[in-house]
Amino acid sequence: MATATLKMHTAPSAVAEFDRSVVWITILLLALGLVMVYSASIAIAEAGRSTGQQSMYYLMRHAIFLAVSVTAGLIAFQIPVATWQRFAPYLFVVGLVLIALVLIPGIGREVNGARRWIPLIFFNLQPSELMKVFAVLYAADYTVRKAAFMHSLRKGFLPMFSVMLLTGGLLLREPDFGAFAVITVIAMGILFLGGMNWKLFAGLFVMLVAGFVALIWFSPYRMQRVIGFMDPWADEYGKGYQLSHSLIAFGRGEWFGVGLGGSVEKLFYLPEAHTDFLLAVIAEELGFVGVLAIVLMFVWIVQRAFAIGRCAVLQERYFAALVAQGIGLWIGVQAIINMGVNMGVLPTKGLTLPLLSFGGSAIAATCVAIAVLLRIDWEGRQLARGFKV
């Protein structure tokens, strides 16, 4: 009897499994990001030697970001999905408070006309990145709680619409149009997957498209970005400067690239080469083959997220299913937007390439999201074997 009891207690850890392909692809993307951030930032780091910076300045900071982010992910994996669900509304409120704090002079830090960061002792916290995680959790929890009212305008649609309106208003005050777009897609996608009435969803979609068009139309700097995106060569030293040099980087890379470290565009031609436009440097140095490999890795993560979500649905773990698919939606949409911007398919937006670009808050948020996804998968496999989680 004692032996049987011991087996029941030790078996769950012995068969603790999750999708290792997601783990390895995440590690590959993080490692590639570390290498490419170093390659893309050497010139700008050396140019800052007058302020005490060295050529490895961004490399060391990025390595620290990775260490902190992976640690945060390991901690997040230990938290049961039920706990995430219980605290989802409170985390969302915390996210709203942090976004509001950013807007207060003396607390939020302003860079290039945008106030998106809260300076802490060793790094700058960007609340909008954490809000993406909180939005996934909150939207999934809301959809599960309001499942019986998903066909109701007053009880199912308007409460979520009001919350997203408040969130969008705060983000646009920073301004952070890119984060607002991603969070909106997350919320809409989860509501749709959760069974929202298609007429209400269509109405919401039309309203959001009209809202985005109005935000662009009545905002001079956003309109200039759209104009520059439509024909960057018309003003290649002005509105189209960043995009034109990104396209030059893609053109120089051809099939196999000019070789690691051989990029010319990163030498003060392409702004934000180690952050928003890292893919352009990757395209120049590793070519079409390198970009294709990155695209396929993101496709695999998104596909596995939706597969994990489908398995959770079969086990009637609806919150877990919506969170898994919401994470896949978030990573996929943000990757598409960043790639589209780099390739000139979409207007310039301040969104990083998940797991690759320089930026501590973004990497930490994405690592936590991947960890939650793996936790959902782990719990599903344990339940399939008859173990409690």
Side-chain angles (χ1 to χ4, degrees):
M1 185 69 179
T3 304
T5 303
L6 178 62
K7 287 183 178 179
M8 285 298 294
H9 282 293
T10 58
S13 60
V15 296
E17 294 180 2
F18 44 80
D19 195 324
R20 286 177 171 78
S21 67
V22 173
V23 176
W24 282 112
I25 287 179
T26 301
I27 292 172
L28 282 173
L29 287 171
L30 290 174
L32 178 61
L34 182 65
V35 173
M36 295 311 303
V37 164
Y38 179 45
S39 176
S41 65
I42 291 176
I44 189 173
E46 289 185 338
R49 282 186 173 179
S50 59
T51 60
Q53 295 183 15
Q54 301 297 323
S55 61
M56 298 179 65
Y57 174 78
Y58 290 100
L59 172 67
M60 297 305 297
R61 286 180 63 84
H62 195 70
I64 293 171
F65 292 157
L66 291 186
V68 173
S69 299
V70 171
T71 302
L74 291 173
I75 294 172
F77 180 79
Q78 306 302 318
I79 301 174
V81 176
T83 303
W84 286 113
Q85 183 175 9
R86 186 161 58 251
F87 286 96
Y90 306 107
L91 291 172
F92 191 79
V93 171
V94 170
L96 286 175
V97 171
L98 289 174
I99 293 176
L101 287 175
V102 167
L103 302 174
I104 299 175
I107 296 180
R109 181 189 177 194
E110 186 173 335
V111 178
N112 296 329
R115 192 184 296 273
R116 302 176 185 173
W117 299 269
I118 297 177
L120 301 178
I121 298 175
F122 299 109
F123 66 98
N124 295 316
L125 176 67
Q126 189 172 357
S128 59
E129 294 295 338
L130 300 182
M131 195 62 174
K132 293 171 187 175
V133 181
F134 301 156
V136 170
L137 297 171
Y138 177 76
D141 176 61
Y142 176 88
T143 304
V144 171
R145 284 189 289 108
K146 299 284 186 176
F149 305 109
M150 283 291 104
H151 296 273
S152 169
L153 175 66
R154 183 172 64 86
K155 295 183 178 180
F157 169 76
L158 289 180
M160 188 63 174
F161 180 74
S162 301
V163 169
M164 296 313 299
L165 200 63
L166 173 61
T167 306
L170 291 172
L171 288 172
L172 291 175
R173 288 289 304 275
E174 295 184 6
D176 195 344
F177 189 79
F180 174 49
V182 172
I183 290 173
T184 299
V185 170
I186 290 171
M188 283 188 61
I190 290 177
L191 288 174
F192 178 76
L193 293 168
M196 172 173 270
N197 180 281
W198 72 268
K199 293 181 180 179
L200 291 177
F201 183 82
L204 174 61
F205 181 79
V206 171
M207 290 171 62
L208 286 171
V209 170
F212 280 124
V213 171
L215 286 171
I216 294 171
W217 188 267
F218 294 106
S219 176
Y221 86 92
R222 292 194 185 105
M223 182 59 75
Q224 292 300 316
R225 282 188 172 185
V226 172
I227 294 172
F229 140 76
M230 293 176 67
D231 187 6
W233 308 110
D235 187 10
E236 58 193 273
Y237 295 106
K239 296 186 294 289
Y241 179 81
Q242 195 170 30
L243 178 54
S244 62
H245 280 279
S246 178
L247 295 176
I248 291 170
F250 272 87
R252 291 192 75 247
E254 298 185 350
W255 285 98
F256 299 102
V258 298
L260 186 62
S263 169
V264 172
E265 288 300 319
K266 69 185 181 184
L267 303 177
F268 307 106
Y269 293 105
L270 178 63
E272 309 298 336
H274 61 300
T275 55
D276 301 350
F277 280 81
L278 183 66
L279 186 67
V281 178
I282 294 173
E284 187 177 3
E285 296 190 351
L286 304 183
F288 173 81
V289 173
V291 174
L292 179 62
I294 290 172
V295 171
L296 292 177
M297 283 191 278
F298 278 117
V299 168
W300 183 258
I301 289 178
V302 173
Q303 184 271 330
R304 291 309 305 153
F306 275 83
I308 291 169
R310 286 194 298 272
C311 291
V313 170
L314 295 176
Q315 296 175 325
E316 298 184 352
R317 300 161 56 228
Y318 299 116
F319 170 78
L322 290 173
V323 170
Q325 294 177 347
I327 290 170
L329 192 63
W330 158 25
I331 293 175
V333 167
Q334 183 160 331
I336 288 172
I337 292 176
N338 180 274
M339 292 176 183
V341 167
N342 277 254
M343 297 177 188
V345 179
L346 295 171
T348 304
K349 277 269 113 306
L351 284 174
T352 59
L353 187 59
L355 300 171
L356 287 161
S357 296
F358 180 83
S361 299
I363 295 175
T366 311
C367 284
V368 168
I370 294 292
V372 173
L373 176 65
L374 292 172
R375 176 74 192 197
I376 292 169
D377 187 31
W378 183 85
E379 288 189 7
R381 297 184 188 215
Q382 297 307 303
L383 289 172
R385 291 178 173 85
F387 299 118
K388 292 182 178 181
V389 294

